[in-house]
Amino acid sequence: MPELPEVETVRRDLSRVYAGDKLARIVVTGRRTVRRHSPDALAALDGQVLSSVGRLGKYLWLEWEDGHVLVAHLRMSGQMLAVEPGAPTEPHTHAVFYFSRGELRFVDPRTFGELFLASPLPDRDGTAPAGPPAAGPSTGARVAELAHLGPDALVAEAGYLKTTFAGRRGPLKSLLVDQRVLAGIGNIYADEICFEAKVRPDRPGGSLKSRELQRVAASTRSVLGAAISLRGSTLADQQYSDLFGAQGGYQSRHNVYGRLALPCTSCGVPVQRVRFGAKSAFWCPRCQR
DNA sequence: CGATTATCCTGTGCGC
DNA sequence: TGCGCACAGGATAATC
């Protein structure tokens, strides 16, 4: 399940391999892969040079020299794979980018992932600027489809959480995985963040004290940062691999996620699972309060 | 407005 | 051994 650390790993590799390279064309075969507009619109990228690869939360975007922005989301099972030209096409390959430096393939068994060309945000006076969105480091904030996202979870701050969580009765974990609150956290890292912060995942968000919010913000940054350093988590289902098909290395550092009834890595008490609504969380009943 | 639920989809792994 | 089914879960629309 690609979350922020996995998407950031893919972003760095995409930038390293393809930035400055020319795209001949994209061939989309997946019926659901481009669903916000006609797949034919991607022809606008034919012959374009990739200038940079950005990320906000779990969204990736590829920015081209003429200002076009192609947004990608891997959702549950999407993978970006750099392959040798002419390599056998594996099942569930939905799009192929033909770069000068080689083929980039979008593979996604469950077809939740998507690609789309960004629409520019309207200017302050309400009129949409002519042409594609302007280039620059703040590209994500200028993409209308990403305007609902909260701050990237890598820069989570306690003060922001205090304001945002105030009066909220929903469980902490539900707030952490809400992309409007913080962008980038999913099921795995929400549990790991709550563990490192020593807070129960089912605590009502608004009940957290300032000291606890400090720990949640700091743990968000440190858990995600450590996971990026180890190139993300690859679970037993193998749904995540990097651009070159390699696994991540952070799964061996998981303290609670997927460890039901196994001893807590800190205190040895069996890890439990708590359910709230349709969701659940792994947690240590001794370390987290 | 905030919280909850159903939906999309396929591969996996479990129980019988 | 084989079959059926629950389950996995990110984002979003619908509903309460």
Side-chain angles (χ1 to χ4, degrees):
Chain A
M1 317 294 145
E3 302 180 28
L4 188 152
E6 292 76 30
V7 177
E8 174 63 14
T9 300
V10 172
R11 185 200 69 76
R12 293 178 181 184
D13 287 345
L14 283 174
S15 179
R16 193 156 51 84
V17 175
Y18 298 110
D21 199 16
K22 188 178 208 175
L23 178 77
R25 65 185 184 129
I26 302 177
V27 174
V28 177
T29 51
R31 301 216 178 278
R32 281 169 40 83
T33 306
V34 180
R35 45 187 185 265
R36 302 196 192 212
H37 55 67
S38 168
D40 300 338
L42 297 189
L45 304 178
D46 290 357
Q48 285 295 312
V49 172
L50 181 66
S51 21
S52 66
V53 185
R55 180 193 60 78
L56 177 58
K58 302 169 195 169
Y59 287 86
L60 282 170
W61 65 82
L62 285 70
E63 201 167 305
W64 306 83
E65 280 191 350
D66 74 341
H68 274 101
V69 174
L70 178 69
V71 181
H73 198 302
L74 304 175
R75 294 284 176 93
M76 312 295 298
S77 60
Q79 296 186 348
M80 292 285 189
L81 292 171
V83 302
E84 294 295 318
T89 301
E90 62 184 289
H92 311 297
T93 299
H94 302 311
V96 182
F97 297 68
Y98 292 92
F99 279 101
S100 300
R101 295 175 194 154
E103 286 183 26
L104 170 66
R105 294 183 182 170
F106 177 66
V107 179
D108 182 17
R110 297 174 69 175
T111 73
F112 288 137
E114 64 171 331
L115 305 174
F116 63 91
L117 278 177
S119 308
L121 272 182
D123 281 342
R124 286 190 191 84
D125 61 8
T127 61
S138 61
T139 297
R142 295 183 47 79
V143 172
E145 291 84 354
L146 307 188
H148 66 288
L149 295 175
D152 192 79
L154 268 186
V155 294
E157 292 174 13
Y160 170 76
L161 294 184
K162 184 168 184 128
T163 306
T164 308
F165 287 7
R168 301 287 294 266
R169 288 166 33 200
L172 170 61
K173 177 173 179 176
S174 300
L175 295 175
L176 289 176
V177 302
D178 185 339
Q179 304 300 298
R180 296 165 300 182
V181 174
L182 287 173
I185 302 172
N187 205 31
I188 297 171
Y189 293 103
D191 285 6
E192 295 300 321
I193 288 164
C194 291
F195 175 82
E196 185 164 305
K198 301 188 188 302
V199 180
R200 284 179 62 129
D202 57 346
R203 283 270 300 280
S207 76
L208 272 70
K209 308 298 180 197
S210 290
R211 179 179 296 176
E212 294 171 324
L213 293 169
Q214 290 280 356
R215 295 206 305 266
V216 170
S219 299
T220 297
R221 298 188 301 264
S222 65
V223 166
L224 297 177
I228 291 170
S229 301
L230 291 178
R231 302 182 62 80
S233 302
T234 300
L235 303 180
D237 59 17
Q238 304 288 312
Q239 293 214 65
Y240 166 72
S241 77
D242 69 17
L243 192 57
F244 314 105
Q247 296 188 8
Y250 192 73
Q251 59 280 358
S252 65
R253 304 287 184 94
H254 292 179
N255 290 301
V256 283
Y257 181 81
R259 291 177 47 82
L260 182 64
L262 292 173
C264 168
T265 54
S266 178
C267 76
V269 163
V271 170
Q272 292 188 10
R273 185 172 203 169
V274 60
R275 297 191 178 271
F276 36 88
K279 302 290 183 184
S280 71
F282 298 101
W283 68 295
C284 171
R286 181 163 175 185
C287 295
Q288 297 171 259
R289 302 285 168 182

